[in-house]
Amino acid sequence: MAGYWDERMLRDGGEVGLINDRDYWLHRAAEARLIGSLCQDQISQDIMERLAQYYDELAIRSEAQD
């Protein structure tokens, strides 16, 4: 999972094509949650969870544009 979006960016020729890709945002959300689980303090964990929720929202929005 980690590094998924880096590989996609290289394969797709840039991140522009990924903006409306549901799987891209879901993988980013999962990656943020993984990083959050590794954080030692609650504030960092909360920030990473909030970031993951934003990525989840972007995944939902990208579905609506299909």
Side-chain angles (χ1 to χ4, degrees):
M1 175 173 24
Y4 169 82
W5 65 278
D6 292 323
E7 293 169 18
R8 286 287 309 274
M9 284 177 61
L10 291 173
R11 188 172 63 239
D12 292 348
E15 67 180 288
V16 174
L18 299 176
I19 292 172
N20 294 324
D21 185 335
R22 175 186 170 272
D23 290 336
Y24 169 80
W25 294 115
L26 292 176
H27 279 91
R28 293 296 304 264
E31 189 173 39
R33 288 189 174 96
L34 175 63
I35 293 168
S37 73
L38 300 173
C39 293
Q40 299 293 319
D41 62 292
Q42 189 62 49
I43 292 172
S44 297
Q45 291 171 2
D46 293 345
I47 290 170
M48 294 310 293
E49 177 57 32
R50 226 172 333 167
L51 180 60
Q53 290 172 2
Y54 290 138
Y55 288 148
D56 287 336
E57 291 175 24
L58 288 169
I60 291 168
R61 289 181 185 199
S62 69
E63 287 177 339
Q65 293 190 15
D66 286 341

